[in-house]
């Protein structure tokens, strides 16, 4: 065999080997084997700490996100890290509208749900969460968050005002729903010392619809409440009574009762020169009824002023009426103790409950006030309220203070709820 033949055979063998290698590579590619060009890898769905990956390509944001998640996982009470984490969530790519990446909405819900489970009394974050859900799901999504918010901090005047304002804006024709919502808010915050923003909103609701009889009844309720702006509401009521026909403000039955009172008053005065009731003109009779209404109103105002002035010294010393993780100073704590002493001595169960609930927003991290509230509630012989108080205490008071959890366990035993009691004991032992 000459050299030419040898070379031709070698070239043929090389070509065949090359074709076999290409074929083998193609087959490997079909079966998931290695290829000459690596397939693109899927982006990670979690950060190194195990947190959900934010929707961003900014490595600095991802690093900060991962760091914050690691901190709040190890120390859930670290308020500053939660705040930073929520700020980072706002910076995700794509926003939060209906067309936003699903991960954006999911990440926000995970963060806010976890944060508000830890700090349910932060009313401003319930509002912010509802804003985000409004962008993502619309009106019903926002309302769902508002409902969770007012359940968690039912005596937040600001949150109720925001909730009512939102429903009025987005469901303006649903009058009954709006009115029911205002009534719920009135039950929750109407007895607060600073509820005027809420009452102003409720008053405006009736004024805009010219429902003057309902407005009058509402004002009659408001002027009886000791509160910061009691005098302004009294003046509004006087103006209302003086500027509208009396029969637009009160029912026919009420009108008849007032005329009967006027007749009885004339009889006792035995004024021979007075005009008999049946001879008076409609205008004259209405004028006298109006004056009688204002007399009654003035008496109510005097009592309200007296009750407000009793509470004013305590209210003037409240410097922080909202929840915060920062410690309270000693004068503030002492003022709450004195205020509770005063209200308990006054004896109004409704006002006592309202003040305890206000106190336990501001002083939520102080076990002494929860134990005091529980002791008072037990004196009222209501185990359901008692359990509710200590359940909330167990959520808010740091685990280093175990008394509220131990008391809750004893209450569970009283109610024959053995598994729940065991769970509380185990929680205490774990800390």
């Amino acid at each position: 065999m000459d050299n030419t033949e040898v070379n031709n055979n070698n070239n043929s063998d090389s070509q065949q080997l090359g074709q076999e290698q290409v074929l083998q590579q193609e087959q490997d590619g079909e079966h998931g084997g290695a290829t000459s060009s690596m397939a693109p890898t899927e982006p990670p769905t979690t950060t190194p700490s195990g947190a959900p990956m934010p929707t961003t390509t900014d490595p600095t944001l991802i690093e900060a996100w991962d760091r914050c998640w690691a901190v709040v996982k190890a120390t859930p009470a670290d308020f500053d890290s939660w705040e930073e984490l929520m700020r980072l969530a706002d910076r995700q790519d794509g926003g939060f509208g209906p067309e936003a990446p699903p991960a954006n909405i999911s990440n926000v819900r995970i963060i806010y749900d976890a944060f508000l489970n830890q700090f349910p009394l932060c009313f401003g974050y319930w509002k912010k969460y509802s804003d985000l859900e409004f962008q993502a799901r619309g009106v019903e999504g926002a309302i769902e968050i508002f409902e969770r918010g007012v359940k968690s901090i039912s005596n937040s005047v600001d949150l109720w005002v925001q909730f009512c304002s939102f429903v009025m804006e987005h469901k303006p024709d649903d009058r009954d729903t709006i009115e029911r919502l205002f009534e719920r808010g009135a039950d929750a915050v109407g007895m607060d010392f600073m509820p005027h923003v809420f009452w102003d909103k409720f008053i405006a609701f009736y004024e805009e619809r010219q429902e003057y009889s309902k407005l009058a009844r509402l004002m009659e309720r408001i002027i009886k409440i000791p509160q910061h702006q009691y005098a302004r509401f009294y003046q509004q009521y006087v103006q209302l009574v003086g500027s509208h026909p009396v029969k637009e403000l009160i029912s026919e039955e009420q009108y008849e009762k007032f005329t009967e009172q006027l007749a009885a008053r004339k009889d006792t005065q035995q004024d021979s020169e007075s005009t008999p009731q049946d001879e008076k003109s409609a205008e004259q009779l209405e004028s006298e009824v109006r004056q009688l209404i204002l007399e009654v109103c003035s008496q109510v105002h005097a009592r309200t002023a007296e009750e407000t002035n009793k509470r004013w010294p305590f209210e003037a010393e409240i410097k922080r009426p909202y929840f915060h993780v920062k410690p309270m100073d000693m004068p503030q704590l002492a003022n709450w103790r004195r205020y509770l002493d005063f209200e308990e001595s006054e004896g109004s169960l409704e006002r006592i409950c309202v003040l305890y609930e206000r106190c336990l927003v501001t002083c939520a991290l102080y076990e002494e006030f929860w134990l005091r509230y529980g002791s008072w509630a037990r004196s009222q012989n209501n185990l359901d309220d008692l359990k509710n108080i200590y359940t909330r205490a167990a959520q808010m008071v740091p685990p280093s203070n175990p008394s509220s959890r131990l008391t809750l366990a004893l209450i569970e035993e009283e109610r024959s709820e053995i598994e729940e009691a065991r769970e509380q004991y185990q929680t205490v032992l774990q800390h």
Side-chain angles (χ1 to χ4, degrees):
M1 181 181 298
D2 59 20
N3 289 338
T4 301
E5 186 177 355
V6 170
N7 289 336
N8 289 337
N9 289 338
N10 287 341
N11 289 339
S12 177
D13 292 341
S14 298
Q15 291 173 358
Q16 182 177 358
L17 178 59
Q19 292 171 352
E20 290 174 352
Q21 288 175 336
V22 170
L23 180 61
Q24 183 62 49
Q25 288 172 353
E26 291 175 350
Q27 292 173 344
D28 289 343
E30 291 174 0
H31 295 288
T35 63
S36 56
S37 59
M38 297 293 292
T41 57
E42 291 292 328
T45 58
T46 60
T47 64
S49 70
M53 182 66 71
T55 307
T56 182
T57 56
D58 182 351
T60 304
L61 192 153
I62 296 174
E63 181 182 355
W65 176 277
D66 184 64
R67 172 178 51 78
C68 288
W69 267 111
V71 172
V72 299
K73 183 178 181 181
T75 315
D78 190 320
F79 191 88
D80 291 339
S81 293
W82 280 112
E83 283 193 312
E84 183 177 357
L85 191 57
M86 287 182 282
R87 286 193 295 269
L88 293 170
D90 290 343
R91 293 169 52 193
Q92 293 182 102
D93 298 338
F96 301 98
E99 304 303 321
N104 280 21
I105 308 301
S106 175
N107 288 342
V108 164
R109 287 173 181 156
I110 290 170
I111 294 170
Y112 276 83
D113 286 344
F115 170 77
L116 290 167
N117 183 64
Q118 184 72 30
F119 300 106
L121 302 179
C122 292
F123 69 88
Y125 287 97
W126 285 111
K127 174 60 168 62
K128 188 171 183 181
Y129 193 4
S130 71
D131 289 343
L132 293 169
E133 283 291 356
F134 177 60
Q135 295 180 53
R137 291 195 290 145
V139 172
E140 296 307 320
I143 288 176
E144 181 182 313
I145 301 302
F146 272 122
E147 288 288 2
R148 288 173 55 189
V150 296
K151 183 178 180 181
S152 295
I153 178 169
S154 62
N155 59 345
S156 171
V157 175
D158 291 307
L159 192 57
W160 276 105
V161 169
Q162 291 160 352
F163 190 6
C164 293
S165 299
F166 179 87
V167 176
M168 288 177 71
E169 179 182 356
H170 295 284
K171 292 189 172 185
D173 298 327
D174 197 345
R175 183 206 167 283
D176 291 343
T177 295
I178 296 170
E179 186 175 37
R180 285 195 300 270
L181 187 62
F182 270 119
E183 287 295 347
R184 287 172 56 199
D187 290 340
V189 302
M191 297 288 285
D192 195 277
F193 195 76
M194 302 280 283
H196 47 274
V197 181
F198 173 81
W199 287 126
D200 285 339
K201 182 71 67 174
F202 200 171
I203 289 168
F205 170 71
Y206 284 136
E207 284 181 332
E208 290 169 3
R209 289 160 178 77
Q210 299 183 357
E211 297 184 57
Y212 296 118
S213 62
K214 288 191 173 183
L215 176 58
R217 289 199 297 273
L218 177 63
M219 296 297 296
E220 288 170 8
R221 291 161 56 189
I222 295 172
I223 64 173
K224 295 176 182 178
I225 301 170
Q227 56 180 300
H228 181 264
Q229 298 194 13
Y230 73 97
R232 176 170 68 84
F233 288 121
Y234 168 69
Q235 291 300 329
Q236 282 184 252
Y237 183 56
V238 169
Q239 184 178 5
L240 177 69
V241 173
S243 60
H244 291 82
V246 171
K247 290 188 176 181
E248 284 188 8
L249 304 178
I250 62 177
S251 67
E252 189 66 33
E253 181 181 1
Q254 289 175 306
Y255 191 87
E256 289 178 3
K257 286 183 179 179
F258 279 120
T259 57
E260 289 172 3
Q261 290 180 37
L262 288 170
R265 178 181 295 183
K266 293 296 183 182
D267 290 341
T268 58
Q269 291 174 346
Q270 295 182 347
D271 185 354
S272 59
E273 297 181 359
S274 63
T275 305
Q277 291 291 99
D278 56 359
E279 295 180 11
K280 292 177 182 177
S281 67
E283 291 80 7
Q284 185 179 1
L285 187 58
E286 176 167 317
S287 177
E288 291 186 6
V289 169
R290 177 179 285 110
Q291 284 303 121
L292 184 54
I293 292 173
L294 291 175
E295 285 179 25
V296 173
C297 175
S298 178
Q299 294 168 6
V300 170
H301 174 63
R303 288 195 296 270
T304 303
E306 180 182 357
E307 294 301 315
T308 301
N309 290 333
K310 287 180 184 178
R311 292 163 176 80
W312 205 283
F314 302 108
E315 293 289 344
E317 293 300 316
I318 298 174
K319 309 302 181 186
R320 194 175 79 188
Y322 52 85
F323 171 81
H324 204 284
V325 294
K326 292 180 180 178
M328 296 277 288
D329 58 48
M330 294 305 294
Q332 289 280 285
L333 295 173
N335 182 60
W336 279 112
R337 296 184 192 109
R338 291 193 301 270
Y339 200 175
L340 289 167
D341 288 342
F342 162 78
E343 206 63 78
E344 287 181 356
S345 70
E346 288 291 295
S348 168
L349 297 183
E350 184 178 22
R351 295 212 63 85
I352 293 169
C353 287
V354 166
L355 187 63
Y356 266 115
E357 292 294 341
R358 288 178 59 203
C359 172
L360 288 167
V361 170
T362 300
C363 306
L365 301 179
Y366 291 85
E367 189 174 50
E368 66 165 287
F369 293 100
W370 290 102
L371 296 176
R372 175 171 177 163
Y373 192 13
S375 177
W376 177 83
R378 184 177 284 278
S379 71
Q380 307 304 309
N381 298 316
N382 192 326
L383 278 182
D384 289 334
D385 285 349
L386 195 64
K387 178 179 178 178
N388 176 265
I389 291 167
Y390 281 104
T391 299
R392 291 155 56 203
Q395 181 183 14
M396 296 305 304
V397 175
S400 56
N401 298 323
S403 296
S404 55
R405 287 177 175 79
L406 289 172
T407 305
L408 177 58
L410 293 172
I411 293 170
E412 301 286 21
E413 288 189 57
E414 286 183 61
R415 296 164 59 93
S416 300
E417 296 173 349
I418 305 304
E419 289 302 318
E420 290 82 355
R422 182 179 290 112
E423 182 180 340
Q424 294 303 323
Y425 286 128
Q426 290 173 343
T427 300
V428 171
L429 290 173
Q430 288 169 1
H431 293 86

